[in-house]
Amino acid sequence: MLATLAICTLRPTGPISLGHVMSVRRNNHFIPEASLLGPIKKHVLVRECRRRVPLALLNPEMDAGNVSMSDLASQICNQIASIFAKPTSPYPPALDLILTELTTVASRKGRVFLYGVGREGLMLKALCMRLFHLGLSAHFVFDMTTPPISSNDLFVASAGPGGFSTVDALCSVARSQGARVLLLTAQPKSGSSVKHASVVAYLPAQTMADDAANSEEGEGGEIGRALLPMGSVYEGAMFVLFEMVIFKLGEVLRENPEDVRARHTNLE
């Protein structure tokens, strides 16, 4: 079966340029846009897929195996970066919200507790580590040394698809103890965890709640493989968001690199 390229046509507006071809996908894989500029002579802009053209008609030598690591990495990074350009109203920007909550709890010498399931949990563990490096008392729930939460503390949890039974339960416990609950989610209106949150940080990214709806059906009815499957877009956005948070928080707390490095473990 011929490999195909999903493209869309737009009314002629002039010669095609690199800016016109933003993202072109081969069997649901993003491919380097620059490689298409030569073969494509018409005015093409990827907006919504309307027809599928055999890849060989555009460039017979093009193949998924020829995509370089840097091109593939760029496509992945661009897809994650696009999440932060999406509107979140009426919810405030996630970066501002998280920074405000963390700054407030740090100013009153409160503790930060974090929890997430699966890969979301791994992203929150990374944030927990960096918060400790910045001098905050940070704890990942279920670690053996996790202290009791109190009204002076902040609980940060994630439920990308909207809710998980463990996240719901822990958010409820944190609220019952008077703690602030900051919930990260991609489903702020329908998720079960939202009702337990004091504030909601909305990340408008694909998760397992809507990955099937965002998949494309190829020739013969098969579903193409996404570049970032299931909840990978949301999880990648979490990591990038948390790096921005740590950068900004370090400025607010006036932490210099030497102080941060001094808190890193030497038991390695």
Side-chain angles (χ1 to χ4, degrees), residues 13-35:
T13 56
I16 191 168
S17 67
L18 180 61
H20 287 146
V21 184
M22 299 302 293
S23 60
V24 181
R25 297 189 291 181
R26 176 187 181 280
N27 284 346
N28 223 29
H29 287 274
F30 289 87
I31 64 176
E33 53 267 42
S35 63

Side-chain angles (χ1 to χ4, degrees), residues 14 35 53 56 71-72 86 92 98 101 119 173 179 194 203 213 233 248 254 263 267:
S35 63
V53 178
D71 289 329
L72 191 57
K86 294 181 179 181
I98 297 173
E101 291 293 328
R119 286 161 53 102
V173 171
V194 175
L203 273 181
V233 182
K248 291 288 189 179
R254 298 183 179 179
R263 298 188 187 99
L267 293 174

Side-chain angles (χ1 to χ4, degrees), residues 95-146:
L95 175 58
D96 296 344
L97 179 63
I98 297 173
L99 185 61
T100 297
E101 291 293 328
L102 289 174
T103 301
T104 301
V105 74
S107 67
R108 63 172 181 252
K109 306 299 181 183
R111 296 170 296 197
V112 182
F113 296 78
L114 306 97
Y115 182 75
V117 302
R119 286 161 53 102
E120 294 180 30
L122 295 177
M123 299 303 105
L124 281 164
K125 283 186 176 182
L127 174 60
C128 184
M129 182 179 183
R130 286 289 185 252
L131 291 176
F132 170 76
H133 290 159
L134 286 179
L136 279 72
S137 178
H139 309 272
F140 194 81
V141 176
F142 296 139
D143 282 350
M144 298 299 286
T145 56
T146 303

Side-chain angles (χ1 to χ4, degrees), residues 4 11 69 81 95 99 102 116 120 132 149 171 187 202 249 257 261 264:
T4 58
R11 289 188 298 273
M69 288 179 61
L95 175 58
L99 185 61
L102 289 174
E120 294 180 30
F132 170 76
I149 196 168
C171 287
Q187 302 289 335
Y202 174 34
L249 186 60
R261 289 180 63 86
H264 193 282

Side-chain angles (χ1 to χ4, degrees), residues 30 73-86 119 203-205 227-228 231-241 244:
F30 289 87
S74 294
Q75 296 295 348
I76 290 174
C77 291
N78 288 340
Q79 188 172 352
I80 292 174
S82 69
I83 299 305
F84 299 100
K86 294 181 179 181
R119 286 161 53 102
L203 273 181
L227 181 66
L228 294 173
S232 290
V233 182
Y234 177 82
E235 295 145 7
M238 287 178 69
F239 177 79
V240 174
L241 172 62
M244 291 189 284

Side-chain angles (χ1 to χ4, degrees), residues 147-160:
I149 196 168
S150 70
S151 59
N152 201 41
D153 303 327
L154 173 67
F155 181 48
V156 181
S158 175

